[in-house]
Amino acid sequence: MAEDKEFDEKTGSGDSEEEEEDDEEVEANGKDDFDEDDAEFDDPEGFMDEITDEELLADILAEKPKEVQGTDCIIVVDNVPTIPPDRLEKLKNVIRKVFSKFGKIITEHYPLDEKGITKGYIFLEFSNAKDAAQAVKTANGYKLDKHHIFAVNHFEDFDKLANLTKDWQAPTKQSYVQQENLRSWLLDQDCNDQYSLIHGGGDKVAIMWNTQQEPILSKERQNWTETYVRWSPKGTYLATLHNQGIALWGGEEFKRLMRFSHPGVQLVDFSPCERYLVTFSSLSDNPEDPQAIVIWEIRTGAKKRGFLCGDQSQWPVFRWSAEGKYFGRLGEDSISIYETPSFGLLEKKSLKIQGVREFAWSPTDDVIAFWVPENKDTPARVTLMEIPSRKEIRVKNLFNVSECKIYWQQKGDYLGVKVDRYTKSKKGLYYNLELFRVRERQIPVDVVEMKEAVTAFSWEPGGSKFAIIHGESPRISASFYNMEKQGSVSLLKTFDKKQVNNIFWSPNGQFCILAGLRNMNGVLEFYDTSDVVCMNQAEHFMATDVDWDPTGRFVATSVSWWAHKVDNGYYIWSFQGKLLQRHALDQFCQLQWRPRPPSLLSEDDMKNIKKDIKKFQRMFEIKDRMSQSRASKELIERRRRKMKDFQGYRQKKNNEFAQQKAQRLDLRNGIDTDEIDSNAEEFEDESVEFFIKEEIIEVEE
């Protein structure tokens, strides 16, 4: 008791003087003031309180620690470098830098062998399971260097494998589900192509078969997209845009194959290999979890990586290599090259290039071309660089440069650079074309000097020719050139006084269209460049777009409602400039041909087919006549069906007219006005004349 009293004195936890007085008063009275009312608050015998602890203490119980397995926050990182103890701290700093962006790391463990060397795997514990899951999803496949690519897994996955039960049950056999044939349109017996139409101000989307007589509807839907549609590079998928994201469609019936949730999406792009999809949304972004630009894997629907929008104003933001192995993005004084499927920076650093303005991938090789403007005494330069070695295989210095534009030939054999240069006085400009022969030794460069501004440049697909439009209105000229094998550039022909501003080559080369679009009233000129002659001149008034079909047999010209509000529709022409079809559509917006995948035939096979084409020409002519006859029969049959439908509708209305005769008689006091001739005596003709106007004409004497 003495010790308790001493503790109370030291801690101040003893009874106060007032409390002692209250206790003395209670003892004096023999009971508390509340003892009299205790009976009123007593519970009856056997009473059970039905109020649960969760109702009374919900806020406190929410903070109660929950029982968890304890390993959902731990990840295992494999393929970590094996290093001696003196380099361990440096490795830890690198690991922290890679994984700390996913969340807070509270524990890290590096197993060591007897000599203190790391064993090649580590354990990391995050503050919560969500961060650990994000680290597994994103960092798996991260390339630390050439020899170390991380394999990241949950610790729980190893635990599950170690504790497999013996009570294994065979999975139930699933019934076979027929998948969509995503190349079904290539099986058409007549090799007709498809194209998509948007009309009705964007409310209607239709997929049409192109035939020589008239298009045949394949599929049409209302409100299929909210903005526009886009075919994938090989024609496998049709992408539609919606407020909540992107939908991909394919197969014979155009069923929905995949959805990608990206609210506010406005733009879409595909990788050339069709494995990846890039989407852009202008909604507010989060720097910690970028969502403005997202790259998706098409087959799985998984989000591979997000990027900030930045100051990029051009679309597409990413430029893809030929096979989709790499993609690059132009930045301020840098080019960032990423690799797939890790989607990490190549060698973990960008290309630092002071003042870089533009870059483009070769269509066939892992080579980029870029140009840099002048900087004080340093000349401008155009550079060809191999990826991933970053070796500069050709550099061309240029002086007095105002602007450059890069153009690759389809096979990557040539690179054209259009250069605008200042005169010595800096008051005017002159122009030239720098033409790189990429396949030749040391990549020689030919120069074509121009006295006039070059407004358009285009290579012949797969060929050695190119076309340019130069000069200003009203003295606009078009010229065709050829890259000779002797190391020179020859001018094939120049056409003067042309009202054109665009060049459109056939996908198979040789044939070319020079067009005056938008503000040039739709002038169309069809050229055969084998001997550089104009095959035909035509016009599609106010035309806004020209699109070749993937085979080069047909070309479509159109007037889009998005550009002009009148005369909307499209024309189909042959490659020789013969008008085949006219289609006027209310509020027509867009026409896009469905691309075809690359041919499985080799170049030698193609040459042999062209060589022996005369053997098959007669067979093709007979088939064309048969198809035209069949088309005529189909047209007649279609008209018969329409006439039959009209006659059925007319008979239906005649029956309704007959059924309503009693009502008409009742309304007309029993007079049958249907039979005018038999009741003619009951009616009298009455002529009514009324004054309209009076006009006085004075006649000169």
Side-chain angles (χ1 to χ4, degrees), residues 503-603:
I503 304 169
F504 299 95
W505 283 94
S506 165
N508 293 324
Q510 183 178 346
F511 302 103
C512 178
I513 296 177
L514 302 181
L517 303 182
R518 306 281 175 171
N519 57 350
M520 287 193 176
N521 295 331
V523 175
L524 303 171
E525 297 185 358
F526 296 79
Y527 288 88
D528 182 353
T529 61
S530 60
D531 49 5
V532 196
V533 295
C534 182
M535 298 182 293
N536 190 26
Q537 293 183 342
E539 179 180 293
H540 187 175
F541 184 66
M542 298 176 64
T544 58
D545 300 281
V546 175
D547 298 281
W548 281 93
D549 84 320
T551 64
R553 295 180 297 172
F554 305 98
V555 64
T557 61
S558 56
V559 179
S560 174
W561 182 73
W562 291 333
H564 295 292
K565 302 303 180 184
V566 295
D567 297 332
N568 304 132
Y570 66 98
Y571 294 173
I572 301 293
W573 310 74
S574 71
F575 69 94
Q576 297 170 321
K578 180 181 178 182
L579 181 59
L580 303 177
Q581 302 173 21
R582 297 173 184 258
H583 301 283
L585 287 178
D586 183 40
Q587 295 182 329
F588 165 84
C589 299
Q590 182 193 55
L591 182 147
Q592 279 189 331
W593 291 97
R594 187 172 191 173
R596 285 177 173 263
S599 174
L600 299 178
L601 299 176
S602 64
E603 291 189 5

Side-chain angles (χ1 to χ4, degrees), residues 225-500:
T225 183
E226 296 182 15
T227 51
Y228 67 98
V229 300
R230 173 77 182 272
W231 292 105
S232 60
K234 298 179 182 179
T236 308
Y237 307 103
L238 178 69
T240 58
L241 284 76
H242 310 270
N243 287 332
Q244 298 303 317
I246 301 293
L248 294 186
W249 312 78
E252 189 173 357
E253 296 298 325
F254 285 93
K255 295 181 180 179
R256 188 174 62 197
L257 305 175
M258 188 63 66
R259 289 184 298 178
F260 304 90
S261 177
H262 196 183
V265 65
Q266 295 180 344
L267 300 170
V268 61
D269 186 38
F270 288 89
S271 66
C273 57
E274 291 190 343
R275 290 197 298 268
Y276 306 108
L277 178 73
V278 186
T279 58
F280 166 76
S281 173
S282 60
L283 299 181
S284 58
D285 203 3
N286 180 10
E288 297 181 358
D289 185 18
Q291 298 290 337
I293 302 173
V294 180
I295 300 181
W296 311 84
E297 188 173 45
I298 291 179
R299 290 192 176 182
T300 62
K303 175 185 174 182
K304 305 306 292 185
R305 183 167 178 179
F307 294 85
L308 294 172
C309 177
D311 298 329
Q312 186 71 37
S313 58
Q314 295 182 350
W315 185 261
V317 171
F318 299 117
R319 311 292 174 84
W320 291 86
S321 63
E323 298 179 355
K325 187 177 180 181
Y326 305 100
F327 62 96
R329 183 178 187 180
L330 183 66
E332 185 176 356
D333 298 330
S334 67
I335 299 176
S336 299
I337 305 294
Y338 300 86
E339 56 184 342
T340 59
S342 65
F343 292 87
L345 265 176
L346 182 64
E347 298 182 2
K348 298 180 294 185
K349 59 182 179 181
S350 300
L351 293 170
K352 298 299 180 181
I353 306 170
Q354 185 69 30
V356 61
R357 295 280 292 275
E358 181 189 4
F359 84 100
W361 287 92
S362 165
T364 55
D365 306 304
D366 293 334
V367 175
I368 61 171
F370 61 87
W371 81 277
V372 179
E374 295 179 85
N375 184 13
K376 297 181 180 179
D377 296 332
T378 304
R381 69 183 189 276
V382 176
T383 304
L384 293 176
M385 178 181 290
E386 287 183 342
I387 300 296
S389 65
R390 307 192 182 199
K391 176 184 176 182
E392 294 183 350
I393 58 177
R394 186 66 165 92
V395 178
K396 178 68 184 294
N397 292 330
L398 304 170
F399 298 91
N400 301 323
V401 174
S402 169
E403 187 66 31
C404 288
K405 188 68 177 177
I406 296 174
Y407 302 91
W408 277 100
Q409 186 246 18
Q410 186 187 49
K411 292 185 177 180
D413 297 338
Y414 306 104
L415 172 70
V417 181
K418 181 174 71 71
V419 185
D420 300 351
R421 287 179 164 174
Y422 294 110
T423 59
K424 292 183 178 180
S425 63
K426 301 290 185 179
K427 294 182 180 179
L429 293 173
Y430 68 100
Y431 313 89
N432 68 283
L433 305 174
E434 306 283 338
L435 306 171
F436 294 70
R437 298 176 181 268
V438 181
R439 303 299 182 193
E440 298 183 18
R441 185 179 180 183
Q442 296 182 348
I443 311 181
V445 181
D446 298 315
V447 180
V448 177
E449 295 185 357
M450 304 295 300
K451 296 181 181 180
E452 301 171 315
V454 178
T455 57
F457 180 103
S458 182
W459 288 101
E460 177 189 17
S464 58
K465 303 184 189 74
F466 64 89
I468 61 173
I469 297 175
H470 50 97
E472 297 180 356
S473 182
R475 299 181 60 185
I476 298 176
S477 301
S479 299
F480 293 89
Y481 290 82
N482 187 42
M483 302 288 290
E484 302 291 347
K485 294 183 179 180
Q486 292 78 14
S488 63
V489 181
S490 62
L491 174 62
L492 300 178
K493 203 166 186 179
T494 296
F495 298 90
D496 297 323
K497 297 181 180 180
K498 297 295 180 183
Q499 291 298 312
V500 295

